[in-house]
Structure formats: structure tokens, C-alpha cells
Amino acid sequence: MSFTLPTLNYNLDALEPHIDARTMEIHHGKHHQAYVTNLNNAIAGTDAENASIEDICKNISKYPMAVRNNGGGHYNHSMFWSILSPNGGGQPKGTLGEAINKTFGNFEDFKTKFNAAATTRFGSGWAWLIKNANGDLEICSTANQDNPLMDVAEVKGFPIIGLDVWEHAYYLHYQNRRPDYINAWWNVVNWDEAEKRFGM
Ligand code: MN
């Protein structure tokens, strides 16, 4: 079995003006597709062909770098599209909202900490809100296409939301203004989906 590019639940222009259609088209259709193609090529004829992408990430130290880069790329982007919505933004309700307030004080303080992780990630990578092994929320960031599921991650846990801060995610519209992209992104975060992930 090979991995496939997931279809988006919204149109390419649905996240405008926060994320523009051209960026979405290239990011999903070209960048994510390349991760899928290269992942399939890297695992062809190996046992990994029968593994889930989550299990591959959890055992990533046993795989070649091509699987780490492209498997991470496939997991991360699949998660990313799913936690975006044209009807997103605002604040999380329910158990996730409560957990965020309990851990970080309030939503604004949480956002400030998450933004700092996303802004200060040097070069390409991701910022994450994760649920760790104790069930507690934590903010962290990873380089390249690594993620907190990976056994090589400094901070491990299950991703609730993640923000792609590779230049390919924002450069066409925001050029070097990564902080503007980060601020705009909050307007399209799908908190209902994040709440579901928090319950997993
Ligand atoms: Mn990306």
C-alpha cells in the first residue's frame, strides 16, 4: 500500500486573505505531493509499506533520512490541512479550552508562547501544541519535517495543532514577514478538529 495526498475539505481560496490560494495550490499540490511521492519511493519494497504513518514516525530512528524527511512531511502536512478551516479562528471551547487555560493561564498567554516558538524556530520547521505522555499540554518546535511523534524528538507527544513555518508556507504572500503570517494563521485554526485531536 502506498501513501496518497489527502484532498482538502475546502477550496484553495477558502482561507484567504489569511492564506492565499496560490500558496495553498503550490503547498498542497506540489510540496506535499512531493513528500508523498518521495516517501513512497523511499519505502518501496520494505516493511514500512504496511505501516501507518504514525507508526513510521514513532520508530523513525530505524529508518533512513529520506523516510524521516518525507514521512514527517506527509504526516505534518496532513495534520496541517485538517486543523485549518475557513470557519476557524476564535478560541477553543470544551476540554481543550479548559486545558489551555489551566496550563498557560489564558488563551492570550498561550498564543504569545506559541507565537514565540514559531517565530524563533531558526530556518525551516514547525511549532506545536502537543499532549505529552502525562496528558498535559506543552508547546515545542521541531526542525525541518520532524515532529513530536518521532522517537528522535527532544519533546515528545501527540500533536494537537502544528504550524508550518517553512518559507514555502508563507513567502509568496508574506515574503520575510513570518510574524504577520503567524498572526493571520490564528484566524483559520479549526478548533473543533483540535478538540477532537485532544480527545484521541
Ligand atoms: Mn509545508
Side-chain angles (χ1 to χ4, degrees):
M1 212 188 78
S2 56
F3 293 102
T4 54
L5 184 71
T7 47
L8 300 174
N9 293 324
Y10 39 80
N11 293 329
L12 291 171
D13 63 358
L15 305 178
E16 290 197 353
H18 311 294
I19 304 179
D20 64 286
R22 183 76 175 135
T23 296
M24 287 298 295
E25 182 187 356
I26 297 170
H27 198 181
H28 177 258
K30 304 289 183 195
H31 288 281
H32 190 174
Q33 180 62 63
Y35 295 124
V36 170
T37 302
N38 293 335
L39 172 62
N40 286 333
N41 289 340
I43 63 173
T46 74
D47 288 347
E49 279 190 312
N50 301 312
S52 69
I53 191 62
E54 289 80 7
D55 283 341
I56 290 175
C57 287
K58 285 174 187 168
N59 297 289
I60 205 70
S61 63
K62 296 176 189 146
Y63 293 97
M65 196 49 98
V67 176
R68 178 166 165 181
N69 290 337
N70 295 292
H74 178 45
Y75 178 88
N76 296 349
H77 288 85
S78 300
M79 176 283 311
F80 189 59
W81 312 131
S82 79
I83 57 112
L84 299 181
S85 166
N87 306 312
Q91 297 191 14
K93 300 175 207 78
T95 56
L96 177 57
E98 284 166 25
I100 284 174
N101 290 340
K102 188 174 156 242
T103 308
F104 304 102
N106 56 59
F107 184 70
E108 284 308 313
D109 286 354
F110 155 67
K111 246 175 90 170
T112 301
K113 283 198 181 107
F114 188 98
N115 286 356
T119 307
T120 59
R121 166 47 59 187
F122 186 76
S124 298
W126 292 73
W128 304 95
L129 173 68
I130 62 165
K131 185 167 76 169
N132 67 22
N134 299 325
D136 296 325
L137 291 176
E138 270 187 82
I139 289 167
C140 62
S141 77
T142 54
N144 303 315
Q145 294 297 353
D146 284 358
N147 64 51
L149 280 182
M150 291 181 173
D151 58 1
V152 295
E154 227 172 281
V155 182
K156 292 182 192 61
F158 180 75
I160 307 301
I161 58 171
L163 171 57
D164 188 346
V165 295
W166 282 58
E167 283 188 346
H168 70 220
Y170 64 87
Y171 206 85
L172 282 181
H173 186 70
Y174 293 96
Q175 291 82 50
N176 61 319
R177 304 187 310 278
R178 187 192 283 189
D180 290 355
Y181 158 70
I182 294 169
N183 283 325
W185 174 76
W186 292 106
N187 293 303
V188 291
V189 172
N190 182 347
W191 288 113
D192 292 340
E193 184 63 24
E195 172 87 28
K196 270 186 219 159
R197 297 180 67 89
F198 184 59
M200 282 179 184

